[in-house]
Amino acid sequence: MPLDYVKSMLEFVERTADNAVKAPLVEPPKPRPIPETTVLFWAKIAEEQFQQIMPGLGIPFPPVYTSTASSYSRTRKKIVKSIGCPHTEEPPDSIMEYIHGETGNAILIRRGLVADLPVRDDFELRAYFEHFFWHELGHFYAINAETDNLHSYNEPGLIDDSPLYDAAIDGCGYSGERKKQEGYWLWQEFIAEVIANHVSYTIRSSGENYHPELLDWTADVCEGIVNQLQNLLWGTLYFYSATIDEYSLAHYFARLLSDDLTGLYVNAANEGKLKIDDGVYPDENIEPTCISDVPECYQPHLWKLHQILNEQLGKESFWLIDEDTLGKIGSCISDMMVEKVREMARDLSE
């Protein structure tokens, strides 16, 4: 997960709190790794908060395991074997991981990586931890709430041989099955982050220091939001030289459509409330999504994906999705891949 989300969330709370004083960015001394009892206690409290906000599924929540750097591989292999998980590869930098298998599930937390988070104090460390844990519970929740076994699209070895590169010039793109696979890969990361944002917002917005109406939309307030959106879009298109990065794309739309600070920024832009240099309002409203900043060939597909995901989040049970919608999401990704291949071909011909 991108590590800057909770930092922006906390800075928002600080800006809107009375007499807020920003602490210097100094790394506090922390035990390495953080004790297992501390991590398990934080996880227990975060799980209880999650259960108070999200409707019950009628099934037990996943057991939580922790590891040090030296015990990580051994611990993960034991979990994967015990629950029948087909994903045996180890994610190199994952602070936490929800592991889903045929006979069970689990969350594995790497305590050494938690200790390495770039935070200013213990309060911010706890906030990072909670958001990451809610994200992993978001994976658990969305997968286990599925009415159909859509998670089968995430199993290894299912990728078909859609001749994307050969067909790109003709605009054929991926097959229908591959589009659903692509749609599911984006969806599972998107919805986990959306659920984490939903839980986080529900808790924070009930606090006495949450006063978004006090925000003055000056350039320094907007700059961080714009940079985050632009970086995620640029990572989507160019982090990999020959493909689209669905992970960055999922986090871009999760931030744009479900992060409360970003939503307030979008509303302010649409209402002409953003200020530019010296606090002056611009002559025209600023396009807040940053989609207009990427090459024009990608823009129609991003706007279409924006519409699909925004409509999905408008549903009461926004975490439930069907195969048809997965296919529509995947079609947008397929169309972006066609444009990517064409862009590569143009670059080679120049």
Side-chain angles (χ1 to χ4, degrees), residues 17-304:
D18 293 336
N19 303 317
V21 178
K22 291 198 174 189
L25 184 57
V26 178
E27 182 74 14
K30 299 188 294 289
R32 299 179 55 81
I34 295 174
E36 182 175 48
T37 53
T38 300
V39 168
L40 292 178
F41 175 75
W42 288 356
K44 179 177 181 296
I45 299 302
E47 180 183 305
E48 290 175 353
Q49 292 172 315
F50 188 97
Q51 289 178 312
Q52 290 171 3
I53 294 167
M54 296 298 294
L57 292 177
I59 60 173
F61 272 57
V64 178
Y65 301 90
T66 79
S67 72
T68 61
S70 60
S71 68
Y72 169 66
S73 291
R74 182 173 66 254
T75 302
R76 190 183 188 281
K77 288 177 182 176
K78 186 182 297 184
I79 294 171
V80 164
K81 183 178 180 180
S82 67
I83 65 175
C85 176
H87 295 278
T88 57
E89 69 280 4
E90 297 178 359
D93 302 317
S94 178
I95 297 172
M96 304 180 193
E97 180 188 8
Y98 171 68
I99 307 173
H100 187 81
E102 296 177 359
T103 59
N105 49 52
I107 291 177
L108 177 57
I109 301 173
R110 300 169 71 172
R111 291 185 279 129
L113 296 185
V114 173
D116 287 338
L117 289 169
V119 298
R120 293 178 285 205
D121 52 37
D122 288 339
F123 173 79
E124 190 169 320
L125 176 64
R126 180 75 173 269
Y128 268 77
F129 178 93
E130 289 173 343
H131 188 84
F132 291 170
F133 192 74
W134 292 329
H135 178 97
E136 300 311 320
L137 287 181
H139 282 300
F140 156 78
Y141 193 92
I143 291 171
N144 288 280
E146 292 174 0
T147 54
D148 299 316
N149 184 25
L150 300 179
H151 191 65
S152 61
Y153 285 119
N154 197 45
E155 293 178 5
L158 288 183
I159 300 176
D160 65 29
D161 295 322
S162 298
L164 178 65
Y165 289 91
D166 295 336
I169 303 303
D170 297 328
C172 296
Y174 290 133
S175 69
E177 188 75 0
R178 179 65 185 273
K179 288 176 182 178
K180 292 177 183 178
Q181 293 167 10
E182 292 283 344
Y184 191 80
W185 294 335
L186 183 139
W187 170 255
Q188 65 173 342
E189 189 62 25
F190 169 79
I191 196 58
E193 185 65 3
V194 166
I195 290 173
N197 286 345
H198 174 69
V199 173
S200 176
Y201 167 74
T202 302
I203 294 171
R204 290 183 298 104
S205 61
S206 63
E208 61 182 17
N209 288 331
Y210 187 83
H211 295 292
E213 73 278 2
L214 300 180
L215 273 173
D216 185 19
W217 291 103
T218 55
D220 61 324
V221 175
C222 303
E223 183 179 14
I225 301 172
V226 173
N227 288 342
Q228 291 165 357
L229 294 176
Q230 287 178 334
N231 289 340
L232 287 169
L233 274 180
W234 214 248
T236 296
L237 300 176
Y238 302 114
F239 184 80
Y240 297 111
S241 60
T243 190
I244 296 295
D245 181 23
E246 290 107 335
Y247 181 92
S248 293
L249 186 59
H251 279 270
Y252 164 79
F253 277 113
R255 177 159 298 176
L256 180 66
L257 299 177
S258 69
D259 171 52
D260 57 309
L261 178 57
T262 304
L264 291 168
Y265 161 75
V266 170
N267 291 339
N270 292 333
E271 295 169 4
K273 295 181 179 179
L274 301 185
K275 297 177 181 178
I276 52 178
D277 295 337
D278 300 322
V280 178
Y281 291 102
D283 294 332
E284 297 180 357
N285 289 356
I286 297 172
E287 196 280 287
T289 70
C290 298
I291 291 177
S292 59
D293 296 335
V294 304
E296 189 173 348
C297 62
Y298 296 106
Q299 293 181 24
H301 314 304
L302 288 168
W303 282 118
K304 185 176 180 180

